[in-house]
Amino acid sequence: MLKSFRLPADHGTHVLEDYAKTRSDFDWKQAETGFSWFQTGKINAAYEMIDRHVAEGKGNKIALRYSDATRDEQYSFADLMHLSGKAAHLLRNQAEVVKGDRVFIFMPRTPELYILFLGAIKAGAIVGPLFEAFMEDAVRDRLSDSEAKVLCTTPELLSRVPVDELPHLKHIILIGDTVGTNGFYIDYKQAMQEANADFPIEWMAREDGMILHYTSGSTGKPKGVLHVHQAMIQHAQTGRWVLDFQEDDIYWCTADPGWVTGTSYGVFAPWLNGVTIVVRGGRFSAEDWYQTIEKNKVTIWYSAPTAFRMLLSAGNALPAKYNLSTLRHVLSVGEPLNPEVIKWGWEVFQKRIHDTWWMTETGAQMICNIPTMEIKAGSMGKPLPGITAAIVDDDGQELPPNTMGNLAIKKGWPSMMRAIWNNPEKYNAYFTLNDWYVSGDSAYMDEDGYFWFQGRVDDVIMTSGERIGPFEVESKLVEHPAVSEAGVIGISDPIRGKIIKAFISLREGFEATEALKHEIYQFVKNGLAAHAAPRQIDFKEKLPKTRSGKIMRRVLKAWELNLPVGDLSTLED
Ligand code: 6R9
């Protein structure tokens, strides 16, 4: 079992004392009372995120701080109410958007993206965010599967939109210097100037579609995961419990809205709670990130293990140059958070990095280390109130503690996906074990109820009669001073069934030698177990990762077996 260590609980706030009280008898209905629709019966998540705060007298509060290499801007809640009203008008009047239409946004992370995102929801559309780095095939797949009516993009990205092959696409809104408007293309700047800000919000039903996130399956085409307006109940509540949002927080979620983290926790959770968000455009650099925290006096920071590992690799002298003392709460999502990274966070920021587990399909956080909990490094934490999670076998029977199995959730939480777009079969395939949603992740639960991630079910390795989760080995590997990132797969072996093969990228200053391979093998053998040690190691400049930072083990497997790599639309580059 993974070597772990523990960090004590932080001090609780009023919000978290609440949590302790409600934990056992919590019902999601209790989380609804804070919304205006609880009184009015009129639902629209964009209203709850923006206009409600203006109605409650907080219009002057800063909602968004944006900066990149050339821009540095702030928007209050009143500004965003005004601008998203205009965007909604533009979408309704010029792009002919009606309730339920799919409006996609394919552009860099700028204020205009957020304004159009809000505008689309105000107009009753289902919004579909796409990573700006998608190439033509990825864009085509998503726009045609969803039968998108409108696309918001920039002139620079237009060459990746195969307009002629998208019969359902009726309008493209262009953000940037354009050649002007005709019936098909709409010039955002010009149209926004003309649009009326006072938009009569489209009131929705709780179960009406709100957002469509395409997520890559392990093979085949990406699937469109649909979430509905009432998902906001869980976005808002987890924002308080898990992110610990308070009135004066400055919150930085580093995720792009093309990934579910960048919407559920980059947009919905903070703005539903009236919290100021920081958005930093441009590419990752360690200096830039530390500077962003210092300059904005960030108090809550939500990022991913891959980013933390990059910061860790940049060394501890760098963060010492910045004032990072405003940070109160640090969180992680997307892949397993290695104990090594938690140790680094503790040393460098004197902060506990809190892991959170959830998926595009779950829509919001499910299993977490909340601030008032003791952290067991390497564990994802415990299920939130209102969430029943278990480890089940392939027949849906609950397994005893410390047994690896399928991580499953009892159906029916507010932010649960409501459909896989156009694909009921795929949707039903998640719910084959009675009332359980089967995540596809493999994990175990310990005797204290903490959940430990082991890998995707498809990635679990049987070697010498033992089941090994790749994460356990990868986590050990990154403890080695030479290892920056590691991805582990099983490869066939006539005697052992499978043996462990590791793909490793090295930290700066280390050379890829046979001696180092041997040293790393010994390191895992001594620290973990002989059967878990990688008998084969390939050094790679970079590992294949998704844009949300997940190591794509199926690409490693394809490399190994010389097989086609399948859909690569979500690959980093
Ligand atoms: C939010 C998000 C979901 C998959 C999930 C799991 C992995 C997410 C994790 C984690 C270990 C965590 N994952 N959080 N693994 N520890 N805290 O990432 O959604 O892109 O759909 O990915 O990511 O394998 O099944 P999504």
Side-chain angles (χ1 to χ4, degrees):
M1 209 169 289
L2 184 75
K3 199 177 107 240
S4 176
F5 56 90
R6 297 179 180 215
L7 292 173
D10 274 347
H11 295 294
T13 66
H14 60 285
V15 170
L16 297 154
E17 278 160 28
D18 238 26
Y19 169 92
K21 267 185 258 149
T22 53
R23 192 172 168 96
S24 56
D25 59 353
F26 176 76
D27 184 311
W28 285 106
K29 286 204 171 57
Q30 292 166 240
E32 289 185 32
T33 51
F35 296 106
S36 74
W37 52 270
F38 192 69
Q39 271 92 43
T40 61
K42 295 174 175 176
I43 301 179
N44 188 302
Y47 177 83
E48 300 294 334
M49 280 192 276
I50 304 295
D51 301 35
R52 174 171 54 106
H53 303 303
V54 180
E56 288 172 1
K58 292 193 206 150
N60 291 331
K61 185 172 176 183
I62 298 302
L64 169 64
R65 288 192 191 167
Y66 176 80
S67 68
D68 61 25
T70 59
R71 298 171 67 172
D72 194 349
E73 297 162 12
Q74 312 207 88
Y75 297 81
S76 67
F77 281 96
D79 292 337
L80 288 185
M81 176 169 109
H82 182 85
L83 290 163
S84 62
K86 277 176 172 269
H89 256 299
L90 182 174
L91 288 164
R92 172 64 50 81
N93 294 345
Q94 300 209 30
E96 303 165 276
V97 169
V98 297
K99 198 185 222 174
D101 282 343
R102 272 76 63 211
V103 172
F104 272 67
I105 305 184
F106 173 46
M107 58 187 287
R109 228 187 309 177
T110 57
E112 292 70 39
L113 185 162
Y114 292 84
I115 290 162
L116 283 158
F117 185 95
L118 292 168
I121 295 178
K122 274 193 176 177
I126 297 172
V127 64
L130 299 179
F131 280 110
E132 93 181 88
F134 278 153
M135 302 308 281
E136 182 168 329
D137 287 348
V139 175
R140 181 196 299 105
D141 283 349
R142 288 157 177 80
L143 295 186
S144 68
D145 183 68
S146 62
E147 302 185 345
K149 183 173 186 178
V150 174
L151 176 68
C152 310
T153 190
T154 64
E156 292 77 20
L157 292 173
L158 201 53
S159 64
R160 301 194 210 147
V161 184
V163 174
D164 298 342
E165 298 166 52
L166 298 166
H168 296 92
L169 193 62
K170 293 289 177 282
H171 294 281
I172 290 187
I173 297 170
L174 284 173
I175 301 95
D177 296 326
T178 74
V179 283
T181 297
N182 65 24
F184 184 73
Y185 292 104
I186 298 167
D187 178 345
Y188 173 80
K189 212 192 277 162
Q190 188 190 340
M192 283 290 277
Q193 270 164 12
E194 291 162 9
N196 180 348
D198 194 9
F199 183 81
I201 290 181
E202 183 78 54
W203 298 112
M204 312 295 285
R206 299 166 73 112
E207 287 289 321
D208 280 338
M210 174 173 76
I211 186 163
L212 189 58
H213 266 290
Y214 277 83
T215 177
S216 52
S218 46
T219 53
K221 296 262 178 208
K223 46 195 175 185
V225 174
L226 180 71
H227 290 290
V228 297
H229 275 260
Q230 70 166 319
M232 72 172 120
I233 299 168
Q234 197 171 338
H235 295 147
Q237 185 63 58
T238 52
R240 296 189 285 271
W241 280 337
V242 183
L243 293 148
D244 194 25
F245 284 144
Q246 294 171 47
E247 186 65 33
D248 296 327
D249 275 315
I250 308 288
Y251 168 63
W252 187 29
C253 171
T254 61
D256 187 285
W259 178 31
V260 69
T261 304
T263 58
S264 292
Y265 293 97
V267 181
F268 293 110
W271 282 346
L272 286 166
N273 286 294
V275 164
T276 303
I277 70 168
V278 170
V279 174
R280 174 74 182 160
R283 291 198 137 239
F284 172 89
S285 89
E287 288 86 351
D288 194 80
W289 275 38
Y290 289 133
Q291 219 162 40
T292 299
I293 294 172
E294 181 181 73
K295 180 176 156 236
N296 291 287
K297 301 191 168 60
V298 170
T299 57
I300 306 179
W301 183 29
Y302 198 10
S303 195
T306 182
F308 292 129
R309 284 194 299 265
M310 285 195 278
L311 293 173
L312 184 157
S313 295
N316 290 0
L318 190 63
K321 291 193 205 153
Y322 298 89
N323 180 358
L324 309 173
S325 64
T326 51
L327 282 176
R328 183 180 94 243
H329 190 29
V330 184
L331 305 98
S332 172
V333 64
E335 0 144 50
L337 181 63
N338 323 87
E340 181 66 14
V341 175
I342 297 189
K343 193 168 134 243
W344 164 82
W346 186 249
E347 284 166 8
V348 173
F349 309 111
Q350 292 79 54
K351 286 292 156 221
R352 312 182 315 146
I353 305 181
H354 297 75
D355 198 9
T356 63
W357 177 90
W358 56 291
M359 309 172 69
T360 307
E361 292 89 334
T362 70
Q365 294 160 338
M366 307 299 279
I367 297 176
C368 301
N369 282 293
I370 62 151
T372 44
M373 259 166 70
E374 181 186 51
I375 288 182
K376 297 188 186 185
S379 158
M380 310 187 286
K382 296 186 192 182
L384 295 174
I387 301 297
T388 307
I391 304 298
V392 301
D393 66 15
D394 292 341
D395 299 320
Q397 296 303 312
E398 285 188 46
L399 292 167
N402 298 313
T403 315
M404 206 196 290
N406 300 297
L407 172 51
I409 314 276
K410 261 287 155 57
K411 249 178 172 165
W413 63 97
S415 67
M416 186 176 92
M417 64 168 171
R418 295 302 198 273
I420 298 289
W421 196 261
N422 255 336
N423 200 338
E425 249 165 67
K426 197 134 219 167
Y427 185 76
N428 293 334
Y430 287 91
F431 300 98
T432 47
L433 299 181
N434 309 322
D435 293 345
W436 295 108
Y437 159 84
V438 183
S439 69
D441 281 358
S442 170
Y444 67 87
M445 185 185 77
D446 70 15
E447 54 290 340
D448 300 327
Y450 282 69
F451 282 69
W452 300 75
F453 181 83
Q454 298 297 293
R456 294 290 294 165
V457 169
D458 297 344
D459 293 335
V460 169
I461 303 161
M462 271 297 265
T463 176
S464 310
E466 301 269 348
R467 279 154 66 82
I468 296 200
F471 168 54
E472 206 176 352
V473 184
E474 289 162 3
S475 220
K476 190 79 219 167
L477 285 165
V478 299
E479 277 177 38
H480 190 282
V483 178
S484 171
E485 299 249 39
V488 157
I489 60 169
I491 60 171
S492 294
D493 180 86
I495 298 162
R496 299 182 174 85
K498 287 270 162 73
I499 56 164
I500 307 273
K501 169 150 191 175
F503 294 84
I504 288 173
S505 69
L506 293 174
R507 288 206 206 167
E508 233 158 273
F510 288 90
E511 263 188 59
T513 61
E514 287 303 313
L516 182 58
K517 282 187 190 174
H518 186 70
E519 187 189 313
I520 291 173
Y521 170 80
Q522 284 297 339
F523 180 78
V524 179
K525 186 175 166 189
N526 297 337
L528 212 54
H531 68 274
R535 288 171 191 276
Q536 286 193 25
I537 293 179
D538 267 11
F539 292 119
K540 295 274 177 193
E541 190 84 13
K542 263 182 123 182
L543 297 186
K545 278 187 291 180
T546 65
R547 283 167 226 290
S548 56
K550 296 185 213 312
I551 292 171
M552 295 175 93
R553 292 193 192 77
R554 72 186 166 82
V555 175
L556 300 178
K557 288 178 197 166
W559 279 354
E560 188 57 34
L561 300 170
N562 267 322
L563 291 173
V565 288
D567 175 47
L568 283 185
S569 58
T570 56
L571 192 70
E572 201 174 28
D573 51 19

